[in-house]
Amino acid sequence: MIVAEDIHFFYPNKVEALKGVSLTIKEGEFIAIMGQNGAGKSTLVKHFNGLLKPTLGTVRVNGVETTKTSVATLARDVGFVFQNPDHQLFSETVEDEIAFALKNFGFEPEVIEKRVTWALNLLALTQYRKTSPFLLSGGERKRVALASVLAWDPQTLILDEPTIGQDHEQKEKLRQFIMQMQIQKKTVVIVTHDVEFVAECNLRVVLMKEGKIVADGLGKDILTDPALLELSSIVLPQIAQIFAKLSTLGLPKDIIDIYEAKEIILKAQESGLRK
Amino acid sequence: MSKLSRLRLAGTKNMAIIETKNLTYTYPGATKPSIIDVSIKVEKGEFVLITGPSGCGKTTLCRCFNGLVPHFYQGELKGEISVAGVNTLEHHTYEMAKHVGLVFQNPENQLFALSIEKDVAFGLENVGVSREEMRKKVDWALNLTGIYDLRERSPHEISGGQQQRVAIAAVLAMEPEIIVLDEPTSFLDPLSAEKIFEVIYALNKKQGITVILVEHRLDLTAKYTNHLIVMDEGKVRFEGNPREILSTEETRLIGVGIPKATLLYQMLKKDGLNLNGNIPLSSEELADQLLEALKPK
Amino acid sequence: MSVFDGLRFRKVYSPIHNLDPRIKFVYVISIFVVAILFYQIIPLLFLFFLQIPFVLLARVQRQWLRSLRGASFLAGFIFIVNVATTYFTSGYTLLAPNVENAAAMTLRFVVLVESFSVFFLTTSPDHLGLALEESRVPYEFAFAFTTAVRFVPVLAEEAQTIMDAQKARGLELEKGGLLKRIRNYVPVLIPLIVSAIRRSLELAEAMESRAWGATKKRTNLYLLKLRRGDYALLAITVGILVVAIYVRLFVPIPTITQLL
């Protein structure tokens, strides 16, 4: 459980990147933090594993204040996968890359061996075990970066812009992977501006603008509110755009799921025919 | 005008501005080719969309259009290619620059000057255009991309979307016949992406520039084109009308992200709801068809 | 947005910023030469105060003071060394003229720092790059210079991100003895280098695509043109040089000790 209470954060150049943010993330939740570039999304999530400490206010991870502990300790519970895998890959082989964090955390060699095998398998990387991560494709490098964090099995996983530069199939695989994490009751926080991706996952959305939270609720409520989205410079998901137009027929507006969309349209047509 | 020359003029109108025949290319040191037997034809003034999963050879094909492949990358290029009437195999990339402008994925790494206008002028400086003429062309390009007011800023003072517009202005200033954009919005948020697409669309419609756009986001771009190319594993799998291509099961199985509107249209059709008109490519099109169909009579 | 904001240049407009960087450079070199010519405190004080109008006109007082403060440690060091040497070499006596001489040496150093800092504080990197382009420096060097200015802050920010990414995987940079600490930086350095190489390849590709190397006779969007202010500065520079050389040759300069 992560609890942020009225946090403010100033960068050394005195820019106030967070202006009083309070947020509680419960165990097992799946949250998307959305907003324009510069809205403070990345600054906020960097507080969850102690990379940044609030200037004012407190952040507690499982009851422990982040100012009273180290990133290395917090990282055991909160795994953070950065946007660009090239910002972390450095080992000679994929296997070493995944073992890096495990060694830092002081796991026993046998445990490390087991964990590496497990993580490779989970992300379909087993065939690349002895390959240099630099020889892999962009999508594969992204998976290695993810595996290198999953290896120590943190309770919470933070993914910064996981869909950037990914094609349709890679996004679909990522979505399925997150769903799998959900079944295991893991907490997943994604920072993203990919509305279509968020619309396809049924989750809680936290909308930020200029260092503040402007909305917090279900994806289907927030992503179908044109005024709110315009305020945060986000576009409506495709399905929501269709239903925004269809609302003149008395159909509901808060639809983002394609299957739900189909049912509603078919029902509307039947009732129209009956009349 | 003689009859013959008039005929020839009519002929040039429909002439292919880009034509490749059995183009196959292997990067130096690679074991298998990145593009295989690619034969495509693009006409002057077209807006062509190329899509396909990561690693399908889209980027490599783009590099062929201005001679980066094979001149910059070396390696082995087989087959024929002609771009704006020039055989790129025989002409260096700097000669192609006045015919073809290439815009890359990462805006940060294509801007190297310390002010926006200096960046836009970079290509013109390289070919030795006079200062007065350069000023005119730079201002023209800045205006068309809507960044004239930013001209004196430095690249780090502006957003990623604006940076990408600078990159477009920078190739536009060379007044190319063709602009090739390789996933220009993959680092951008959807709103900035839409703005980029609108700029590109206007260049195509108003300036008559041939556009080749490589994109994953068909949701936002399919509506601009009537010439879609789908690539997979180095080969061209489908080429033609996007409405037909995007509604086939095969396209979906390759892993192309079909626009939601097209998908929903097909799901409805399968369940017996027939809508009037074309297969929709955007939410606006589908919404209009649905309004028509569901309207109380 | 980050710690590295200080590395980023900002465009400022002032009469001094608008001056031709080449003339400004000539001015700075002249001050440098004059400062070397004199070893008495009075002309050096005069040189010191001569810069202040420039600083005020350019409105860079705060940054200027900061650079002086930065130099103060070294200035103090120079003073102490000078005093100490005369103290030890003149038989453990401390005379007023010796102290004054040490002060003059220190002041000479301060004047040098001062004038160079005025130059760098009022000359934007693109102006400097342009000056390089218009001088007979090969264009590749000028380009390398501006590109470096453009990408140093980007790389610095990237280094910060990489450190964060590795810290998030349990890397503790400050842990262990000296050797261990150096080794700790390997996971930061390798991604930084790999990414810089990737970046330079992409840059090269973008440059090629924009007709890099098309002709030897490159043109330039901007033209450095001498304006009235530049001629004025040039006149001032020549004036200072003439006066300084005249004074140095024909006017005996009293020391403060003598005046008292």
Side-chain angles (χ1 to χ4, degrees), chain C residues 65-221:
Chain C
L65 280 177
R66 206 180 305 146
S67 69
L68 281 191
R69 210 181 312 141
S72 63
F73 174 76
L74 209 54
F77 183 74
I78 291 172
F79 183 73
I80 290 167
V81 168
N82 266 296
V83 169
T85 9
T86 46
Y87 178 73
F88 290 120
T89 50
S90 59
Y92 306 100
T93 46
L94 196 58
L95 300 169
N98 293 345
V99 176
E100 189 183 335
N101 194 38
M105 290 302 108
T106 312
L107 194 56
R108 184 189 269 174
F109 168 73
V110 172
V111 168
L112 297 184
V113 170
E114 182 192 31
S115 54
F116 272 98
S117 78
V118 171
F119 177 76
F120 284 107
L121 286 175
T122 63
T123 309
S124 65
D126 45 347
H127 241 126
L128 204 56
L130 191 58
L132 287 175
E133 279 177 48
E134 298 228 334
S135 320
R136 282 167 199 259
V137 180
Y139 176 68
E140 284 78 4
F141 287 99
F143 182 77
F145 171 77
T146 47
T147 319
V149 174
R150 156 92 175 91
F151 283 101
V152 160
V154 176
L155 285 182
E157 208 160 306
E158 189 158 49
Q160 182 66 51
T161 308
I162 293 171
M163 272 193 264
D164 281 350
Q166 305 299 37
K167 275 199 225 157
R169 295 200 294 164
L171 177 69
E172 287 174 279
L173 289 167
E174 292 84 21
K175 211 169 139 186
L178 184 66
L179 264 180
K180 172 86 171 71
R181 279 195 199 193
I182 294 171
R183 278 234 311 278
N184 285 346
Y185 275 89
V186 171
V188 177
L189 283 176
I190 292 178
L192 193 61
I193 293 166
V194 169
S195 142
I197 292 170
R198 245 182 244 272
R199 195 186 286 282
S200 60
L201 271 176
E202 282 183 27
L203 272 173
E205 202 180 19
M207 283 162 63
E208 285 283 319
S209 304
R210 278 155 68 185
W212 170 262
T215 165
K216 284 255 174 330
K217 280 188 215 128
R218 229 181 155 270
T219 47
N220 203 320
L221 177 66

Side-chain angles (χ1 to χ4, degrees), chain B residues 145-181:
Chain B
T145 44
I147 48 171
Y148 186 76
D149 293 338
L150 303 175
R151 67 190 180 284
E152 289 189 354
R153 302 268 202 97
S154 52
H156 61 68
E157 289 176 321
I158 60 175
S159 71
Q162 290 168 332
Q163 285 184 347
Q164 201 58 289
R165 276 192 270 167
V166 175
I168 295 173
V171 300
L172 188 63
M174 305 282 281
E175 297 174 286
E177 294 118 280
I178 307 160
I179 291 188
V180 181
L181 306 105

Side-chain angles (χ1 to χ4, degrees), chain B residues 47-198:
Chain B
F47 190 117
V48 180
L49 189 60
I50 303 182
T51 194
S54 296
C56 71
K58 301 172 301 222
T59 299
T60 307
L61 185 59
C62 287
R63 287 171 179 156
C64 293
F65 294 145
N66 76 340
L68 279 174
V69 161
H71 300 295
F72 182 74
Y73 282 94
Q74 306 291 314
E76 195 190 359
L77 184 65
K78 280 188 266 179
E80 287 170 38
I81 174 166
S82 143
V83 178
V86 182
N87 180 350
T88 61
L89 288 169
E90 288 161 9
H91 292 265
H92 200 273
T93 301
Y94 59 70
E95 296 172 66
M96 296 310 296
K98 57 177 175 280
H99 300 293
V100 188
L102 213 60
V103 176
F104 301 88
Q105 196 172 14
N106 189 348
E108 199 169 56
N109 292 344
Q110 12 182 351
L111 305 182
F112 8 77
L114 299 174
S115 76
I116 301 308
E117 57 179 7
K118 181 88 172 147
D119 224 303
V120 174
F122 183 78
L124 298 169
E125 291 181 342
N126 283 334
V127 294
V129 171
S130 75
R131 188 170 296 110
E132 299 71 45
E133 206 181 324
M134 187 165 5
R135 186 81 255 173
K136 264 186 237 156
K137 288 182 178 180
V138 167
D139 288 351
W140 172 76
L142 287 169
N143 274 318
L144 280 184
T145 44
I147 48 171
Y148 186 76
D149 293 338
L150 303 175
R151 67 190 180 284
E152 289 189 354
R153 302 268 202 97
S154 52
H156 61 68
E157 289 176 321
I158 60 175
S159 71
Q162 290 168 332
Q163 285 184 347
Q164 201 58 289
R165 276 192 270 167
V166 175
I168 295 173
V171 300
L172 188 63
M174 305 282 281
E175 297 174 286
E177 294 118 280
I178 307 160
I179 291 188
V180 181
L181 306 105
D182 185 8
E183 296 187 44
T185 67
S186 67
F187 288 115
L188 306 181
D189 61 279
L191 198 69
S192 313
E194 263 191 14
K195 277 188 199 148
I196 297 283
F197 296 138
E198 275 158 24

Side-chain angles (χ1 to χ4, degrees), chain A residues 184-236:
Chain A
Q184 296 166 29
K185 298 270 175 275
K186 300 278 182 197
T187 314
V188 181
V189 180
I190 60 173
V191 174
T192 186
H193 43 223
D194 191 336
V195 271
E196 294 302 330
F197 184 76
V198 174
E200 279 170 31
C201 309
N202 180 24
L203 46 57
R204 175 178 162 198
V205 172
V206 172
L207 203 58
M208 291 188 74
K209 185 182 165 68
E210 289 165 6
K212 283 183 185 151
I213 292 179
V214 289
D216 182 350
L218 281 178
K220 69 180 282 175
D221 294 329
I222 290 179
L223 295 180
T224 52
D225 184 338
L228 197 56
L229 293 189
E230 200 179 329
L231 181 79
S232 351
S233 308
I234 292 182
V235 290
L236 281 173

Side-chain angles (χ1 to χ4, degrees), chain C residues 37-40 42-43 242-255 258:
Chain C
L37 281 179
F38 293 96
Y39 49 84
Q40 298 93 335
I42 291 174
V242 169
V243 170
I245 292 167
Y246 179 80
V247 169
R248 179 73 180 82
L249 292 177
F250 305 111
V251 183
I253 302 168
T255 61
Q258 283 165 343

